[in-house]
């Protein structure tokens, strides 16, 4: 089945530094990828939609200058958390559709747990 | 009212029991319905994917959608301790729009 790989699985960084998270579709091409954020015991909240070759679409309340998204190829999207602060500590998960249209469900990576100290 | 409502549980059942998980929603435009299973510190894993109303069965799992009532269900037969996880319902208006998730139900199957 479709596989989405996310790296790193866990990262600890100091406040003020930037962290890059990679999301790869391993056996399919994804023109669109989605980035979610999940707090403990909470559901997934969509942060942004990453579009290959164009600017990402951010959900209301998500700072685009803080969460930089680059979707440079059909198999790779990156999320960079810039000038991270402790309140950015969370579980970040990317997802992609293996195909177009309604018969293509969303598959998720295994997430990246970010801890900002 | 939230778009998708899901009882967070926790729900604890004995091994072998039939588990019923449910979500309600308010937006009648939703047409695609999914159930995901999420183990601790892992990404969600797709279990079931249905379009519009009806039932879908896959092994021990059965998904039901009742659009008239805006109500979806996931049934797990012969539950196993390995089924212990958080189950998230999700839905979207079209096949390409972002998903809206429920909060997830934590399930524990006790051996």
């Amino acid at each position: 089945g479709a596989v989405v790989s996310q790296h790193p699985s866990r990262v600890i960084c100091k406040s003020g530094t930037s962290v890059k998270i990679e999301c790869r579709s391993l056996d399919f091409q994804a023109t669109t990828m989605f980035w979610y954020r999940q707090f403990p015991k909470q559901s997934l909240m969509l942060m942004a939609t990453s579009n290959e070759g164009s600017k990402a679409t951010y959900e209301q309340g998500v700072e685009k200058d803080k969460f930089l998204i680059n979707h440079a190829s059909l198999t790779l999207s990156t999320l960079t958390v810039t000038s991270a602060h402790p309140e950015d500590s969370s579980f970040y998960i990317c997802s992609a559709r293996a195909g177009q249209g309604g018969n293509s469900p969303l598959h998720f990576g295994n997430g990246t747990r970010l801890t900002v100290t | 009212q939230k778009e998708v409502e899901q009882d967070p549980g926790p729900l604890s059942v004995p091994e072998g029991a039939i588990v019923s998980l449910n979500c309600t929603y308010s937006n009648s435009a939703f047409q695609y319905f999914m159930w995901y299973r999420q183990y601790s510190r892992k990404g969600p894993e797709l279990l079931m994917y249905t379009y519009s109303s009806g039932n879908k069965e896959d092994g021990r799992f059965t998904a039901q959608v009742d659009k008239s009532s805006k109500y979806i269900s996931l049934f797990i037969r012969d539950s196993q301790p390995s089924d212990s996880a958080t189950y998230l319902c999700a839905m979207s208006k079209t096949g390409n729009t972002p998903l809206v998730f429920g909060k997830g139900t934590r399930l524990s199957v006790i051996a």
Side-chain angles (χ1 to χ4, degrees), chain A residues 102, chain B residues 25 27-34 49-54 65 67 72 90-99:
Chain B
Y25 60 96
N27 193 335
S28 58
F30 287 133
Q31 296 189 81
Y32 295 88
F33 303 92
M34 285 133 277
Y49 180 74
T50 54
Y51 170 71
S52 195
S53 287
V65 175
K67 291 190 70 180
I72 68 171
M91 48 200 77
S92 63
K93 299 172 187 176
T94 72
N96 285 320
T97 50
L99 299 182

Side-chain angles (χ1 to χ4, degrees), chain A residues 10 38 43 46 97 102 106 109-110, chain B residues 36 38 43 49 95 97 101-102:
Chain A
R10 171 176 282 190
Q38 186 178 35
S43 189
L46 180 66
R97 294 189 194 279
L106 210 57
N110 262 330
Chain B
Y36 288 86
Q38 186 176 24
Y49 180 74
T97 50
F101 282 87

Side-chain angles (χ1 to χ4, degrees), chain A residues 84-98:
Chain A
H85 289 95
E87 58 265 30
D88 297 325
S89 298
S90 188
F91 194 49
Y92 294 86
I93 314 174
C94 71
S95 62
R97 294 189 194 279

Side-chain angles (χ1 to χ4, degrees), chain B residues 27-82:
Chain B
N27 193 335
S28 58
F30 287 133
Q31 296 189 81
Y32 295 88
F33 303 92
M34 285 133 277
W35 286 95
Y36 288 86
R37 177 174 63 194
Q38 186 176 24
Y39 292 111
S40 181
R41 302 176 186 273
K42 297 291 185 181
E45 171 193 7
L46 180 67
L47 283 178
M48 301 290 280
Y49 180 74
T50 54
Y51 170 71
S52 195
S53 287
N55 295 354
K56 185 173 184 178
E57 186 174 325
D58 184 0
R60 296 185 295 113
F61 299 92
T62 299
Q64 289 185 352
V65 175
D66 183 348
K67 291 190 70 180
S68 62
S69 301
K70 299 190 183 68
Y71 187 87
I72 68 171
S73 301
L74 177 71
F75 297 96
I76 307 174
R77 291 184 299 280
D78 188 25
S79 56
Q80 303 294 311
S82 58

Side-chain angles (χ1 to χ4, degrees), chain A residues 38-43, chain B residues 8 86 103-104 106:
Chain A
Q38 186 178 35
F39 290 105
K41 298 184 180 181
Q42 297 293 317
S43 189
Chain B
T86 296
K103 291 187 84 172
R106 288 178 59 199

